[in-house]
Amino acid sequence: MSRARLILLNAALGPLDYRVPHGMAVEPGSIVVAPLGPRQLVGVVWEPERLPAEEVGDNRLRPLVHAYDLPPLGAPLRRLIEWTADYYLSPLGAVLRMALPSSGALDGARSITEYRATGHVPERLTPQRAQALERIGERLGLIRELAIVGGVSDGVIRGLVKTGAIEAVEIALDDPFPLPDPDHDPPALEPAQAQTAAELRAAVEAGDFAPYLLDGVTGSGKTEVYFEAIAQAIRSGRQALVLLPEIALTEPFLKRFAARFGTEPVPWHSGLRQAQRRRAWRAIASGEARVVVGARSALFLPYPRLGLIVVDEAHEASFKQEEGVQYHARDVAVMRAKLEQVPVVLASATPAIESRHMAEIGIYKELRLPDRYGGARMPDMAALDMLQDPPPRGRWLAPRLVQALEENLEAGEQSLLFLNRRGYAPLTLCRHCGYRFQCPNCTAWMVEHRFTHRLACHHCGHVMPAPRACPECKEEDSLVACGPGVERIADEVHALLPEARTIIVTSDTIWSPAKAAEFVARMENGEIDIVIGTQLVTKGYHFPNLTLVGVVDADLGLAGGDLRAAERSFQQIRQVSGRAGRGERHGRVLVQTHDPGARVIQALVGGDAEGFYAAETDARREAAMPPFGRLAAIIISSEDQAEANATARMIGRAAPRVDNMAVFGPAPAPLAMLRGRHRFRLLVHAARAVPVQDVIREWLGALSWRNSVRVSVDVDPYSFL
Ligand SMILES: [Zn+2]
Ligand SMILES: [Zn+2]
């Protein structure tokens, strides 16, 4: 009789054995359905020798229910899932879930019923119906998806279907994706680009593991270069994967790709409708989707013929997933490339210190693109000392920056003001009694969003209407906003330059690829004079008429003081500076700071990236911080503070004594309360040679705590909150 060992899509379960019924053929990687108690779960067949499980006699095994008619997950992907679970101390089932779509996509159905508005207005137009129809517009989707878009219940949408205002349409699900043409419109590359492109093409052709750091200032043409490697992958009949840090960047990427290859690549991100996800997943699994561009979750999809991985803007912290499996997509991408035996390109204008170090010790090969493409020069940078030349009281833009904005407006050129803070003001307090609005669930101030008349917590999403009176002393109109957010800067711009046409670009306003496309179109059509944005505008966009960048508060990123604060500030300001002067006109960047002598500011203004990196790297080496040492955070949380504290101390007391390893804490985490849970943190700091994961696994594995306590381990943490 034949048996199969499975990993089921349930993080709480270990591997389980099943009987393979007569007539069903499975192999490692096969996607199957198995019974579990009264339920049925999707799972994947695994090599039994790789996963120890409790031995169960043949006579006690339950039979598999079904095997899907899909290609099995390949061995390299299975090894990647094992590695990720092991390295990030996560359950196999939780990692496996990232490789599989929802079960609907596994079935063979070839069409799906979706719905769309017909344009017919129902006789009884309730406010809810009107709102739903307005928000749905020309969108297509399942009843549930349209209900979410419309902000109404499923019932309202069903009612609209009955009146004929919304109609059902059959959508064919498995239409093939058009094949990108590697020879559609190849660009004329400059010599440095051509040489780099040739090297990458050869690497794709060779089909071996080869990690590259593609380092070039913004505007140096990195994308054109790695497009040539993608072209080679297509010619060789292989698949290519491009990871981007933000879904907002997907839309401009799709356009650029289509211009080069004649058709768009297959996108993969959280903004896809269920039907789109299903079609993309099946095309990826069959090998038919040749080039996939996606957010970090695209990394675990079952590409059967992967030939190349590109991680664009590879220094971005958003490649680190902070919930569930806390993996870093850049690092996992390198591991996948190694297991698949393919090249991987980490592209960045401001590579992370970790990546530069790997290049320095010869593990990554560094490819440098020195000049701006087309001979455009880097922008001029200057620091504005906010103590010497401060803005008037209650304003945030220094006179010189305002003057530069005016000049740009008169010249008909576009400007960008960068402030990495959403909303109107980061803190609201009562001037009468000093009351401060704090989130009831988190150790965080409520941020005023003036356009929506609400206060919001940026950590848990808690919102409340902005009150007129102080909740403490009941004084009316006593609330004052402290400090600026982008909305407040926009107000200041309106007051100073009323004729300027502005747009605020944050995750509150650009929350879908469609919104991003709209923003790009308005910029390109010259409908906007001044962009006021958060880190969302620092990368990817290319606006030739944008010639002035103002950094509103260069000191902001340094306030957190964590390991990467200076590096992150440097990267962010370099990136945003790279938006200026990407066309024929020369760009300039004005950086507002209270500390013009700070190393970061000096390096930025002096254009001394090398000096900055060298000093930062030395400091990390001296403190044995990553990449020269290792960190892991253990976060203990509970709704009950005493319980969280007691558990954290119990775990701390049990810390093993290991050479070259120190355990700090427990201490209340900087975000001591998050989403109603009290949080304590232990920080493990060890030399590179210490097998930190094994140590932690053994340490925590010997302990137990109540179900109401959550203990999560963050290996190589990025957020120190
Ligand atoms: Zn008050
Ligand atoms: Zn909160």
Side-chain angles (χ1 to χ4, degrees), residues 384-392 397-401 592:
L384 300 186
D385 187 336
M386 297 294 273
L387 296 174
Q388 292 286 328
D389 186 19
L397 303 177
R400 262 185 73 196
L401 180 53
Q592 299 195 146

Side-chain angles (χ1 to χ4, degrees), residues 430-435 470-475 478-479:
C430 169
R431 79 161 76 82
H432 189 240
C433 75
Y435 176 85
C470 171
E472 191 69 25
C473 70
K474 314 294 177 211
E475 185 83 2
S478 68
L479 302 176

Side-chain angles (χ1 to χ4, degrees), residues 381-392 395-402 551-555 589-598 601-602 605:
M381 293 195 68
L384 300 186
D385 187 336
M386 297 294 273
L387 296 174
Q388 292 286 328
D389 186 19
R395 298 213 190 267
W396 314 95
L397 303 177
R400 262 185 73 196
L401 180 53
V402 175
V551 177
V552 175
D553 184 353
D555 313 329
V589 179
L590 297 173
V591 180
Q592 299 195 146
T593 174
H594 288 87
D595 188 6
I601 306 293
Q602 291 280 313
V605 173

Side-chain angles (χ1 to χ4, degrees), residues 439 441-442 457 459-462:
C439 174
N441 312 317
C442 308
C457 169
H459 294 284
C460 72
H462 178 77

